[in-house]
């Protein structure tokens, strides 16, 4: 029984220029106590998928259809008041940009204490205790004074730690980390990820790690889903996918990785560009860039099928 | 912080001095001669010269200016050409009614403008927003003298429920206050709508949602607290504007405030009175600006100057 089961999720944005099919039928599952990676190019719908699970899609965006089963409840169907109790408490989310994701006019202590105060009705004193403990948990020294700081006096890395403290404040079962290290410099990136992994182990929670960095996937991930044009095209254990990538897109992506011991070979690339999300290609949306493209690829959309145990792929090459 | 305030005050004094210099120069450009105003018509030329000398108006402009300034510094605003009364007496008896009018209007504009702007922003694109934005645009673009006359016409002449002029009862405040308030409600509402919309799109609002906070907490704590910063600053920046705006409104409603005195003094070329009122407005402008800056520094920790170092 997976912790989260997303089925056929469709989230569209109705813009003046047309309908942007940001997520167009994505399906995947997240198991308990695992790091599940969502990879793909910029604009493939990773973030929107995460925001849809949290039901944080605002107009002109709309979640059209699909299911997101969490503890046998469909997150997309339950009333907003129920969803409020899940956000921050059961499922929480760390965003890309810690600079703008913290409210500039409140101290970080106040912002960290907010969620537990609301979710657990804590007294001021209890909330403060919890807050300083959390600040210590994310390895910020001098918790009592730091708690009284405003976000702008903190460094980027500290802000992201604050963000994590905030999102861990109610002990969620699932943490969605949307490219948590993109805006940080490399040494800080490593620290933040190590911290994330450490906390994940300590608290035995699941993490959805959204990234476009296969290096991170290989290092930290348990399972991985590759997204293209709002769909999941391949999903499986990280070791399986790296050993035996099936989808031409996944193979293309992996060919693009610089690998240390093969210096002589040229770095691979995927021909063409990501299609416009307003006007996605018919059939398999990857077919214009695919070297194995056939007639049926243009006509019919491939289904996600189980190629081997726990290894799913959506490609006509593997349909039986 | 104290150093910053001192610096601002010094700059403020310089600004006020610059304003008075400009003021003196512009007064020279006004058509007509104040002496004929003082003396009245059909006075022999010798008498005119005598008056000119006795009021010090025969001296070069810069000497007149220094003479005036040296008296102003010690609190002597001079004597009115027309009424022969000390200007301080004339002006200060008029300040209270004007402040009553302008502060009432400003506070009302703030209290009404903030919720109107927020509701419009939160209901963006819906009927409520269109209605409120229509209201905002309507009053924002309406000249106050015309609005004043229309209100007089409707409530004073047709409906006969409110007095059209003077200041004999608290009822007579209603129309002048409304004339001043409606356009500034629109100003505050417009600002608040823009600010709320901007704040709504901020990442930290999404963070607040992701924490599972209820909507009212997101709106009244996270959004309001941020969107209010420019509006509160605006409150102080707007004060001198409203006082200047009161000139026309007071003239229209024959309201016995500083504005009406100013209007009459311009017609009579009563230089000392005009100078004093402009000086008061200049000082008010500078002081409000400093207050606005200090307040925004207080409200927004990012611009707190020389505050606690953490």
């Amino acid at each position: 029984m997976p912790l989260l089961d997303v089925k056929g999720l469709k989230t569209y944005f109705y813009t003046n220029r047309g309908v942007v099919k940001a997520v167009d039928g994505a399906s995947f599952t997240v198991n308990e106590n695992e790091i599940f990676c969502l990879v793909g190019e910029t604009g493939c719908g990773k973030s929107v998928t995460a925001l849809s699970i949290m039901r944080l899609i605002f107009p002109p965006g709309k979640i059209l259809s699909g299911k997101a089963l969490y503890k046998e409840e469909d997150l997309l169907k339950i009333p907003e008041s129920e969803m409020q109790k899940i956000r921050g408490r059961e499922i929480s989310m760390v965003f890309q940009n810690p600079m703008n994701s913290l409210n500039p006019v409140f101290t970080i202590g106040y912002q960290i204490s907010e969620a537990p105060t609301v979710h657990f009705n804590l007294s001021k004193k209890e909330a403060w205790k919890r807050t300083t403990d959390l600040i210590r948990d994310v390895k910020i020294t001098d918790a009592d004074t730091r708690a009284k700081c405003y976000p702008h006096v903190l460094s980027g890395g500290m802000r992201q730690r604050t963000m994590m403290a905030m999102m861990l404040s109610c002990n969620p079962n699932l943490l969605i980390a949307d490219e948590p290290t993109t805006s940080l410099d490399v040494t800080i990136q490593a620290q933040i990820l190590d911290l994330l992994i450490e906390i994940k182990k300590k608290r035995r929670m699941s993490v959805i790690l959204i990234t476009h960095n296969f290096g991170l996937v290989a290092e930290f991930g348990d399972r991985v889903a590759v997204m293209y044009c709002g769909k999941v095209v391949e999903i499986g254990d990280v070791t399986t996918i790296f050993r035996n990538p099936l989808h031409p897109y996944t193979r293309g992506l992996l060919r693009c990785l610089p690998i240390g011991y093969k210096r002589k070979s040229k770095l691979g690339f995927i021909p063409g560009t990501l299609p416009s999300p307003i006007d996605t290609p018919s059939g398999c949306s990857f077919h214009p860039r695919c070297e194995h493209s056939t007639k049926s690829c243009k006509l019919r959309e491939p289904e996600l099928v189980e190629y081997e145990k726990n290894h799913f792929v959506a490609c006509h090459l593997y349909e039986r | 912080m104290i150093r910053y305030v001192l610096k601002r005050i010094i700059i403020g004094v310089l600004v006020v001095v610059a304003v008075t210099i400009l003021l003196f120069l512009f007064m020279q450009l006004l058509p007509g001669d104040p002496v004929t105003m003082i003396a009245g018509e059909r006075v022999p030329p010798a008498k005119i010269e005598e008056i000119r000398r006795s009021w010090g108006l025969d001296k070069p402009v810069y000497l007149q200016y220094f003479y005036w300034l040296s008296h102003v510094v010690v609190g002597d605003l001079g004597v009115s050409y027309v009424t022969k009364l000390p200007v301080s007496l004339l002006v200060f008896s008029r300040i209270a009614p004007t402040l009553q009018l302008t502060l009432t209007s400003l506070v009302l504009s703030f209290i009404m403008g903030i919720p109107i702007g927020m509701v419009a922003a939160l209901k963006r694109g819906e009927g409520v927003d269109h209605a409120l934005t229509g209201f905002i645009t309507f009053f924002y673009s309406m000249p106050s003298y015309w609005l004043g006359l229309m209100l007089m016409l409707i409530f004073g002449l047709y409906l006969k429920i409110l007095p059209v002029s003077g200041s004999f009862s608290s009822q007579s405040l209603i129309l002048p206050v409304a004339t001043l308030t409606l356009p500034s409600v629109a100003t505050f509402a417009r600002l608040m709508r823009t600010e709320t919309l901007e704040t709504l799109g901020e990442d930290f609002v999404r963070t607040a949602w992701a924490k599972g906070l209820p909507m009212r907490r997101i709106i009244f704590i996270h959004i309001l607290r941020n969107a209010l910063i420019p509006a509160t600053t605006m409150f102080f920046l707007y004060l001198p504007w409203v006082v200047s705006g009161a000139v026309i409104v007071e003239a229209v409603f024959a309201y016995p405030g500083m504005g009406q005195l100013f209007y009459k003094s311009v017609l009579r070329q009563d230089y000392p009175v005009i100078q004093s009122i402009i000086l008061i407005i200049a000082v008010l402008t500078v002081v409000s600006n400093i207050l606005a800056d200090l307040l925004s520094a207080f409200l927004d920790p990012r611009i707190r100057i020389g505050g606690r170092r953490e």
Side-chain angles (χ1 to χ4, degrees), chain A residues 119-239:
Chain A
H119 287 300
F120 303 132
N121 266 324
L122 296 184
S123 71
K124 256 199 169 138
K125 217 173 155 190
E126 291 166 320
W128 188 253
K129 167 98 182 25
R130 200 184 177 107
T131 302
T132 44
D133 286 348
L134 280 160
I135 296 177
R136 272 186 280 273
D137 281 355
V138 294
K139 308 253 165 69
I140 295 179
T141 52
D142 209 3
D144 290 283
T145 28
R146 290 291 181 203
K148 292 176 195 137
C149 285
Y150 289 93
H152 70 279
V153 301
L154 302 178
S155 65
M158 286 236 253
R159 282 180 213 173
Q160 196 58 296
R161 284 167 197 269
T162 306
M163 193 70 198
M164 283 169 63
M166 219 154 81
M167 290 312 176
L168 293 168
S169 61
C170 298
N171 262 320
N173 288 323
L174 175 63
L175 179 75
I176 304 173
D178 186 0
E179 303 199 28
T181 58
T182 328
S183 58
L184 305 172
D185 59 52
V186 185
T187 46
I188 310 292
Q189 282 186 11
Q191 289 176 14
I192 293 283
L193 284 167
D194 287 342
L195 178 69
L196 183 70
I197 302 309
E198 191 192 312
I199 290 173
K200 181 248 159 196
K201 279 182 185 147
K202 213 175 356 184
R203 303 196 175 203
R204 303 186 56 78
M205 60 180 185
S206 301
V207 175
I208 298 181
L209 181 64
I210 297 177
T211 178
H212 47 237
N213 185 341
F214 258 111
L216 293 183
V217 176
E219 200 174 340
F220 301 109
D222 296 317
R223 281 170 64 246
V224 57
V226 180
M227 281 189 79
Y228 187 78
C229 283
K231 294 182 185 79
V232 171
V233 294
E234 184 163 6
I235 185 166
D237 291 338
V238 169
T239 41

Side-chain angles (χ1 to χ4, degrees), chain A residues 72-96:
Chain A
E72 294 167 24
E73 264 185 314
D74 187 353
L75 298 180
L76 306 181
K77 295 274 176 339
I78 59 174
E80 174 60 25
S81 57
E82 288 299 307
M83 194 60 211
Q84 248 170 42
K85 287 178 195 150
I86 287 178
R87 283 190 207 119
R89 183 174 176 170
E90 304 270 340
I91 305 175
S92 60
M93 186 162 174
V94 173
F95 298 100
Q96 265 186 49

Side-chain angles (χ1 to χ4, degrees), chain A residues 88 100-101 103 111 114 119 166, chain B residues 204 207 210-211 217 222 226:
Chain A
N100 305 331
S101 298
N103 195 326
Q111 294 186 59
E114 235 184 338
H119 287 300
M166 219 154 81
Chain B
F204 63 75
T207 309
K211 286 200 277 190
R217 197 186 172 101
H222 286 266
N226 277 279

Side-chain angles (χ1 to χ4, degrees), chain B residues 16-66:
Chain B
V16 171
V17 170
V19 168
T20 58
I21 291 174
L22 279 176
L23 175 64
F24 244 80
L25 293 177
F26 282 128
M27 294 285 243
Q28 301 300 315
L29 297 176
L30 277 183
D33 184 356
V35 180
T36 53
M37 279 288 169
I38 302 167
E41 279 159 43
R42 290 193 221 160
V43 177
K47 178 78 178 159
I48 294 233
E49 279 317 301
E50 193 195 312
I51 293 171
R52 193 181 297 280
R53 230 175 298 124
S54 70
W55 288 90
L57 289 170
D58 56 335
K59 304 263 177 6
V61 184
Y62 68 92
L63 276 183
Q64 285 185 40
Y65 175 72
F66 284 116

Side-chain angles (χ1 to χ4, degrees), chain B residues 239-285:
Chain B
L239 180 61
W241 279 101
V242 177
V243 172
S244 329
V247 172
I248 288 163
V249 173
E250 286 180 9
V252 169
F253 286 97
Y255 183 86
M258 209 168 65
Q260 197 199 25
L261 177 67
F262 184 79
Y263 171 74
K264 281 185 181 160
S265 305
V266 169
L267 293 182
R268 293 176 191 152
Q269 301 205 338
D270 200 346
Y271 287 3
V273 180
I274 302 174
Q275 283 159 1
S276 305
I277 293 177
I278 292 186
L279 179 70
I280 289 171
I281 293 180
V283 171
L284 187 68
T285 309

Side-chain angles (χ1 to χ4, degrees), chain B:
Chain B
M1 195 67 179
I2 293 164
R3 266 190 63 191
Y4 171 75
V5 176
L6 274 177
K7 206 173 104 188
R8 287 301 310 264
I9 290 174
I10 292 167
I11 294 174
V13 169
L14 291 178
V15 168
V16 171
V17 170
V19 168
T20 58
I21 291 174
L22 279 176
L23 175 64
F24 244 80
L25 293 177
F26 282 128
M27 294 285 243
Q28 301 300 315
L29 297 176
L30 277 183
D33 184 356
V35 180
T36 53
M37 279 288 169
I38 302 167
E41 279 159 43
R42 290 193 221 160
V43 177
K47 178 78 178 159
I48 294 233
E49 279 317 301
E50 193 195 312
I51 293 171
R52 193 181 297 280
R53 230 175 298 124
S54 70
W55 288 90
L57 289 170
D58 56 335
K59 304 263 177 6
V61 184
Y62 68 92
L63 276 183
Q64 285 185 40
Y65 175 72
F66 284 116
Y67 181 78
W68 178 75
L69 194 64
S70 60
H71 281 76
V72 166
V73 171
V74 295
D76 175 11
L77 293 174
V79 174
S80 159
Y81 292 162
V82 179
T83 58
K84 313 289 190 293
L85 289 168
V87 175
S88 42
L89 200 74
L90 278 174
V91 171
F92 285 115
S93 67
R94 300 292 193 109
I95 284 184
T98 295
L99 282 183
Q100 191 184 19
L101 179 68
T102 48
L103 285 180
T104 315
S105 136
L106 204 55
V107 169
L108 281 177
S109 321
F110 188 79
I111 295 176
M112 289 158 70
I114 300 305
I116 291 177
M118 273 199 94
V119 169
L122 294 173
K123 301 274 173 198
R124 183 191 195 173
E126 293 174 30
V128 187
D129 177 29
H130 293 310
L132 290 175
T133 315
F135 164 86
I136 291 170
T137 322
F138 184 71
F139 284 108
Y140 189 75
S141 44
M142 176 146 351
S144 56
Y145 52 87
W146 193 79
L147 177 63
L149 289 175
M150 287 303 115
L151 289 176
M152 262 183 184
L153 205 63
I154 296 167
F155 292 99
L157 275 151
Y158 295 154
L159 300 175
K160 292 194 187 4
I161 45 173
L162 290 170
V164 291
S165 71
S167 131
F168 310 107
S169 61
S170 56
Q171 275 200 336
S172 51
L173 254 176
I174 296 177
L175 286 184
V177 165
T179 309
L180 266 182
T181 307
L182 286 170
S184 50
V185 168
T187 309
F188 280 103
R190 223 170 71 120
L191 179 72
M192 200 58 193
R193 183 176 179 273
T194 321
E195 288 301 324
T196 310
L197 280 179
E198 204 171 289
T199 315
L200 268 172
E202 294 278 0
D203 287 351
F204 63 75
V205 174
R206 194 180 55 188
T207 309
W209 282 109
K211 286 200 277 190
L213 304 182
M215 186 153 109
R216 53 171 194 284
R217 197 186 172 101
I218 297 173
I219 291 173
F220 289 112
I221 294 184
H222 286 266
I223 295 176
L224 185 65
R225 181 65 175 69
N226 277 279
L228 259 185
I229 297 174
T232 13
T233 315
M234 182 73 159
F235 182 89
F236 284 96
L237 290 179
Y238 212 60
L239 180 61
W241 279 101
V242 177
V243 172
S244 329
V247 172
I248 288 163
V249 173
E250 286 180 9
V252 169
F253 286 97
Y255 183 86
M258 209 168 65
Q260 197 199 25
L261 177 67
F262 184 79
Y263 171 74
K264 281 185 181 160
S265 305
V266 169
L267 293 182
R268 293 176 191 152
Q269 301 205 338
D270 200 346
Y271 287 3
V273 180
I274 302 174
Q275 283 159 1
S276 305
I277 293 177
I278 292 186
L279 179 70
I280 289 171
I281 293 180
V283 171
L284 187 68
T285 309
V286 167
V287 171
S288 321
N289 270 292
I290 296 177
L291 283 178
D293 273 10
L294 291 180
L295 191 73
S296 62
F298 175 73
L299 289 174
D300 190 341
R302 282 167 297 183
I303 46 178
R304 235 164 249 183
I305 312 120
R308 258 180 303 144
R309 238 153 264 210
E310 275 126 337

